[in-house]
Amino acid sequence: MPVKCVPRVGALGTAAVLTALLTLVGCGAGKDTGASPPSPKASESAKTSASAKPSTSPTASATAPATSPKTEPTPTAVELPPLHAGFDYQIGGAYPPPSGVRIVSRDRTASPAPGLYNICYVNAFQAQPDEPDKWPADLLLRDAHGKVVIDRDWGEALLDIGTPAKRKRVAARINRWIDGCADKGFDAVEPDNYDSYTRSHHLLTADDATAFITLLSAHAHARHLAIGQKNTVELAGLRSRTGLDFAVAEECGEYDECGAYAKAFHDRVVVIEYSDSGLRKARSGFGDRLSIVRRDVMVSTPGSADYVRRTR
């Protein structure tokens, strides 16, 4: 799976809810940014990695059956993104959506696009490169020597979600950002870096990640926001426990992961590809089922020399 292939924007600075919860509230690049080699980032901005790593997970190459999607639980408190709809990924900067677009993802610092389905990007599992000092020192993940564990690709400190008490404290801060998304009128939230446990040197586990995102799901639903799983295909099958409603999948065509997301989320998947080959593969297998767009890795705005947006 692509481990950090998207420009990230976000909170200034660049994936287990019980089944009962789903019954009660229903279901639902990017990242807060900074600029850090080796990949460019668009400010809170856009974080990208032109060289995403393929997944080693056996589920990553799973292909959904060519049958119609299964019936999914009907949400009672949130609006889900429309199926197979025009999509634009604008986490590197907001601009007027192109004709035919019905779903837009923007950074939490931006405003939603009027009349469309709007997804709000937040960096939920790591601190922005310029913001580690804005977090309590004990909420930054540390190794046995007391050194803060850093995502070297992006220069971001991992947040410590390794105990229930710390998860609750970190979630309280992220939930304030989710509140901001709701207050602005977004329809959904996209918490980035669900897969940060894979970069924690075994200090965090998948169970920690799922327990934490479950807290975010509950809060998002309480604010009538849907919540998307960002990447992390190996955990897609746990959506009934985590309360995640749809998926935001980067380069799932490039790395043969679209089928796994489509199966887990009943085709409620928005796809961002960063290469023409990825776009062709995504469209070939899922062009009539998923919401797919090709963007430049900087997720730049029109007028930029790097700007690319294609749907075919």
Side-chain angles (χ1 to χ4, degrees):
M1 72 183 255
V3 175
K4 288 267 193 208
C5 47
V6 58
R8 306 197 216 159
V9 196
L12 302 168
T14 242
V17 164
L18 299 174
T19 301
L21 178 59
L22 291 177
T23 305
L24 292 173
V25 295
C27 61
K31 145 185 229 182
D32 305 63
T33 316
S36 171
S39 297
K41 281 184 182 181
S43 151
E44 245 215 356
S45 321
K47 208 188 229 188
T48 70
S49 161
S51 55
K53 300 176 184 177
S55 173
T56 57
S57 169
T59 61
S61 60
T63 300
T67 57
S68 58
K70 299 177 182 178
T71 301
E72 57 184 306
T74 302
T76 57
V78 301
E79 179 183 358
L80 298 180
L83 288 165
H84 188 224
F87 171 54
D88 200 13
Y89 206 47
Q90 298 188 1
I91 65 171
Y95 53 87
S99 176
V101 167
R102 295 174 59 199
I103 307 171
V104 172
S105 184
R106 289 178 171 176
D107 183 64
R108 69 179 182 85
T109 60
S111 296
L116 302 182
Y117 188 93
N118 287 271
I119 301 170
C120 187
Y121 170 89
V122 298
N123 184 10
F125 289 76
Q126 298 183 178
Q128 288 305 110
D130 57 345
E131 292 192 343
D133 58 347
K134 294 183 180 180
W135 285 87
D138 68 322
L139 291 185
L140 301 178
L141 185 67
R142 297 174 186 273
D143 63 19
H145 303 288
K147 294 184 60 177
V148 174
V149 178
I150 301 293
D151 175 350
R152 297 298 175 186
D153 285 339
W154 309 116
E156 295 181 348
L158 274 64
L159 300 176
D160 190 348
I161 55 170
T163 68
K166 288 187 175 183
R167 285 193 287 272
K168 184 175 180 180
R169 290 172 60 203
V170 175
R173 286 172 160 252
I174 304 302
N175 286 341
R176 287 199 290 270
W177 297 347
I178 291 175
D179 288 339
C181 296
D183 292 342
K184 285 185 175 183
F186 281 89
D187 301 290
V189 62
E190 169 195 345
D192 199 13
N193 285 319
Y194 189 21
D195 63 348
S196 64
Y197 73 93
T198 66
R199 298 181 291 279
S200 72
H201 308 298
H202 307 292
L203 295 172
L204 299 174
T205 67
D207 286 344
D208 294 327
T210 56
F212 178 67
I213 209 160
T214 293
L215 297 177
L216 302 187
S217 295
H219 189 80
H221 290 158
R223 292 305 312 266
H224 305 292
L225 294 174
I227 181 167
Q229 173 169 323
K230 180 68 171 289
N231 299 328
T232 323
V233 70
E234 59 270 29
L235 301 183
L238 302 180
R239 64 166 296 198
S240 63
R241 288 170 45 194
T242 56
L244 296 165
D245 304 309
F246 64 98
V248 179
E250 298 175 289
E251 298 195 289
C252 70
E254 187 72 30
Y255 295 108
D256 299 318
E257 297 174 347
C258 295
Y261 289 113
K263 181 178 180 180
F265 291 92
H266 307 292
D267 286 2
R268 196 86 54 179
V269 183
V270 294
V271 177
I272 309 97
E273 296 292 337
Y274 297 111
S275 68
D276 290 338
S277 63
L279 177 63
R280 285 194 299 270
K281 289 176 68 177
R283 282 184 50 79
S284 174
F286 300 91
D288 60 346
R289 294 169 55 182
L290 309 184
S291 303
I292 303 169
V293 70
R294 152 80 154 101
R295 288 302 326 266
D296 57 282
V297 294
M298 290 301 296
V299 194
S300 54
T301 58
S304 165
D306 297 318
Y307 176 76
V308 174
R309 182 187 184 275
R310 285 196 288 275
T311 57
R312 58 184 64 246

